Structure formats: C-alpha cells, structure tokens
Amino acid sequence: MSAFPPLTWQVCASCGSEIPETDPHPRCPRCRGLLELRHQPPAQGGNALRATFDARWGVRRGVLASGVWRYREAVLPTADEHILSYPEGNTPLLASAAVARWAGAPELLLKHEGQNPTGSFKDRGMTVGVTQARRVQARAVACASTGNTAAALAAYAALAGLPALVLVPKGQVALGKLAQALAYGARTLLVHGNFDDCLELADQASERLGVYLLNSVNPFRLEGQKTIVLELLQQLGWEPPDWIVVPAGNLGNTAAFGKALVEARELGLISRLPRLAAIQAAGAAPFYHSFRAGFKRRFRVRAETVATAIRIGDPVSYDRAVRAIKQTRGVVAAVSDREILAAKAVIDGAGIGCEPASAASLAGLRQLVRRGIVGPRDSVVAVLTGHLLKDPHATRTAPIAIAPRIAEVERVLKGMK
Ligand code: F0G
C-alpha cells in the first residue's frame, strides 16, 4: 500500500484480512470470503459534509453531476481520472395518493431507480465497478445476471471501450434487458441453467480466465448502490424515514443499504437509523426463510417467480444482508406472484410504472401494514428498482384491434368508465 494509513482499503468479512483497494480479486485471496470497502472518514462530518453534498446538488456537468459521485467521499474517494460516469442517479422521489392508499401507508414515497440511464439501479453500482476495472487495468469484464446487471455492464463497458461478457439463464430474462445487452455489444451467453448456475460459472471465469468480475460479489458495486440511500436521505433534507422498503434477490441492495445507513450515522449525516424491509418473491425466498428461523440457518431453494429479476435461490450477499437487517432492526417478508402483479398494476395504473420485481416492494409494504409491523403513520420510502419497459410482456391488459371506423371507436369509448 502506498500511503499509510490508506484512504481506502478492502477487508474480508470472514477472516478479517486487510488487502489493498487495487487488489483485483473478487473475493478474499486467503479464504474466498466476501470483501468490503472501508474508507477513512473525511475531514468534514455532520453539518459540513451535508453542506458539501447539498452544494453539489445543482452541479450540471462533470462527475459531480452524478447522483453517485456527488457522494464520492463515502463511495470511492481515491478514484480520480479513472471515473467513468454516464452520469447516473438523480432519480426522483415520487408521491402518489393512489399508490399510498393501496398500500395503506399515507406517508409513502417511491424512489424510482428505473429512471437511471439503462433503466435500473444497477447503473449506480456499475459506474463504480467499471471505474475500478479501469483502475486495475482489467482487460475484460464479466457478470452473471437475471438481466439488469447485464444491461448496465454492457453499457458501461461500451462507454469504457472494454470487452464485456454476460451470462444469463436461457429463457428467464425479460426481453428489454436482453435487447440492451446485445445492442450495447456485450458477448451474451444464454446458459442452460438458472441464475445461480450462471453466477457459479462467472465466478470460475474470473478466477481461471482473468476477467474482472462485476457481480455484486464485487464490493465496489455495493459502494455505488449505497447512494440510493444517501440520495433519498438528501432529498428528504437528511431527515430519515421510518422505513426503507426494497425488493431482495441476490441481496446486494439489502447489504448496501445497511452499510449506507450505518455509515451515514457514523459520519453524522443522520442521527437515527430507518428500519429496512427486504421483500422477496415467495417462490424465491431463501432469505425470508432464514429470517423466520432467526438467521440460525442459511437456506437455498430452487427459485421460481414471475419476477425474473429476483429469481435467485442462493443469494451471494447473504451474510452481508443478515448484518444489514440486524443493524437496522429490519424485517424480511415474502409476497406471492399474485400480490406482485397486483402491486405492479397499481403502480402502472398511477402513471409511474415499473418492472415486476420492483413491485415486490409495494406488495411487501401492503402486507407489513396489514400485519401491523409498519404503522399507518410511519413514513416510508419504497424503492422501485427497474423501469416498466424492461419487461414488456408483464402488463395485464391487452390492446383492442378494430376496423378503421368511428363506430368502432365509439363502441370502445362507451365501454370505458
Ligand atoms: N430489482 C431488480 C429490477 C433487479 O434487477 C434486481 C437484481 C433486484 C431487484 C434485486 O436486487 O440482487 O440486490 O437483491 N437483479 C440482478 C441482476 C440479480 O442480475 O440484474 P438484489
């Protein structure tokens, strides 16, 4: 390590080894445990740091215009000329009376991460991941994906001029995502297997074939995803909500959110921790089963759900996510495919729109309100993780074909309320 103590370094969550931030191994080189990043706290804290972030809010050009790099002190303070930004982030916090009513939570806001450049929150992790790939002089980047990570990786690799390889489960990826990966020029492999098989393969490829792995195993991805939380806190004037609700698949976001919240409190950005609610699809709910067992057992399942983005049976960030739930006095819930599609219809019908996995957060919130876990006056931010157009087959209504006659139009109009 050049400077001591370094500004940023990696720590293995399993064996505690400390390794330099530019070590390209996706896991701990000693024990293969998951790595996480640590940064020296910036000189500023509390009010001064909040003021720095607030002053950057109006920046229109350059890396500080990004809703990720605005928080660079908390994300990756050491990345300078290598930063590759679209820019991304700066997603809205939306209020909808219809959606709030359906959930039974009047103080509900929706953080729409589908409004990132490639249509999902993955861009926030990918800007940091590909920046790091440049810093370690990676020759190629790769990931396994249920679709959105592949789309984001393909776009950011293209921006960086790096070859990209993506592995997706054949027949299980929504059309919009596949189209993006192909259009941005990633070598796209349709694997006869599920997401968990793809991840195993991507892991081996990174070990044996020397490509830089950009799944959420990669701790740099999670540093970027922390900014979903930092940005929503800033949008709320640094007054935290009572709850943050997020769909949960591979558990990268759950882990990143917990880390963001604990660090935000340590840095004096907030004085109180919101509670996290991680929502799984009932057919892909190993983390929910573990939660119900008091996290004494780790479950693995064969996953099945309409929400293909979260069709994951063996989430990689399991241990990190357990810590996030414990640290925030969080909860984990599971919702059926019917509940997910009902929630999606409400979000779509309100003019907001999202892909099925995103709607799990609203379905889960409604369940938690009904069970009395979220109070009717609690303030809640639910994260919508992906754009409506990602999965064009998942809408519930169909168009009506007519002959080109006004009488036909009139007939349809009469049938409308
Ligand atoms: N929502 C969407 C739209 C996603 O694409 C994903 C994950 C999640 C939620 C779950 O987030 O894994 O951090 O718990 N998609 C990954 C992918 C697995 O490959 O695109 P998580």
Side-chain angles (χ1 to χ4, degrees):
M1 289 181 210
S2 47
F4 193 85
L7 206 50
T8 294
W9 67 103
Q10 304 186 72
V11 180
C12 172
S14 299
C15 73
S17 296
E18 300 197 348
I19 64 173
E21 64 162 328
T22 46
D23 185 312
H25 289 93
R27 294 172 188 268
C28 174
R30 305 224 169 92
C31 76
R32 294 195 32 84
L34 293 181
L35 296 169
E36 71 174 38
L37 284 169
R38 299 266 170 83
H39 312 293
Q40 293 287 350
Q44 293 180 319
N47 277 337
L49 189 57
R50 279 196 297 251
T52 297
F53 294 155
D54 289 345
R56 292 175 186 163
W57 191 271
V59 173
R60 298 207 180 133
R61 299 188 58 186
V63 294
L64 293 180
S66 157
V68 171
W69 297 102
R70 176 185 308 128
Y71 312 101
R72 58 180 298 177
E73 290 81 352
V75 170
L76 192 57
T78 41
D80 286 314
E81 74 281 4
H82 294 104
I83 293 178
L84 182 89
S85 171
Y86 192 98
E88 48 291 305
N90 298 312
T91 60
L93 208 48
L94 307 170
S96 163
V99 174
R101 205 176 315 115
W102 189 81
E107 301 297 317
L108 170 64
L109 293 169
L110 302 169
K111 176 82 173 147
H112 206 327
E113 287 296 304
Q115 299 201 17
N116 270 291
T118 76
S120 85
F121 70 93
K122 303 288 181 182
D123 297 333
R124 291 190 187 258
M126 212 49 82
T127 179
V128 185
V130 172
T131 293
Q132 187 63 14
R134 281 152 50 113
R135 294 177 83 205
V136 302
Q137 292 166 356
R139 277 174 300 145
V141 290
C143 73
S145 179
T146 55
N148 281 323
T149 302
L153 177 81
Y156 280 81
L159 288 171
L162 279 171
L165 182 70
V166 306
L167 293 88
V168 299
K170 187 167 187 297
Q172 295 298 329
V173 177
L175 189 63
K177 306 174 187 181
L178 204 52
Q180 287 178 293
L182 292 168
Y184 289 127
R187 270 301 153 95
T188 304
L189 305 185
L190 300 179
V191 178
H192 291 280
N194 58 27
F195 169 79
D196 302 295
D197 299 323
C198 293
L199 187 54
E200 179 63 39
L201 205 54
D203 228 349
Q204 287 179 18
S206 81
E207 294 260 303
R208 301 202 198 152
L209 311 177
V211 289
Y212 189 66
L213 187 66
L214 276 170
N215 273 102
S216 56
V217 179
N218 185 313
F220 293 86
R221 285 264 318 272
L222 298 195
E223 292 304 289
Q225 288 174 208
K226 289 190 320 193
T227 65
I228 302 171
V229 164
L230 295 175
E231 192 173 89
L232 77 85
L233 291 171
Q234 186 172 21
Q235 284 167 308
L236 295 172
W238 304 106
E239 191 51 57
D242 296 315
W243 290 92
I244 298 177
V245 188
V246 65
N250 215 16
L251 302 177
N253 256 351
T254 306
F257 284 25
K259 189 169 192 279
L261 289 169
V262 169
E263 290 175 358
R265 190 174 56 180
E266 279 166 9
L267 292 172
L269 295 171
I270 53 172
S271 52
R272 166 177 81 74
L273 288 188
R275 297 177 71 184
L276 275 183
I279 315 296
Q280 297 215 282
F287 191 53
Y288 168 69
H289 296 311
S290 296
F291 174 73
R292 296 249 308 182
F295 289 133
K296 289 193 183 69
R297 234 190 99 187
R298 179 168 179 170
F299 287 78
R300 292 173 175 87
V301 304
R302 275 205 83 78
E304 193 51 75
T305 166
V306 287
T308 51
I310 52 174
R311 193 173 182 271
I312 296 170
D314 187 13
V316 74
S317 287
Y318 175 89
D319 291 328
R320 296 163 168 165
V322 169
R323 193 163 45 143
I325 295 296
K326 286 184 177 165
Q327 284 174 324
T328 62
R329 296 190 306 120
V331 298
V332 186
V335 288
S336 68
D337 281 0
R338 265 180 72 147
E339 291 173 286
I340 289 174
L341 291 177
K344 175 174 155 57
V346 172
I347 295 164
D348 292 353
I352 294 170
C354 66
E355 68 164 281
S358 307
S361 57
L362 183 68
L365 173 61
R366 178 176 155 106
Q367 188 199 95
L368 293 171
V369 171
R370 290 185 161 189
R371 288 165 56 195
I373 295 169
V374 172
R377 275 184 295 279
D378 287 355
S379 56
V380 183
V381 175
V383 179
L384 300 180
T385 44
H387 197 282
L388 169 78
L389 288 173
K390 289 282 191 174
D391 195 347
H393 296 305
T395 45
R396 284 219 283 196
T397 53
I400 306 161
I402 61 160
R405 282 194 295 273
I406 192 65
E408 296 264 305
V409 179
E410 192 181 11
R411 180 174 59 81
V412 174
L413 263 179
K414 276 191 184 144
M416 292 165 58
K417 275 187 282 169

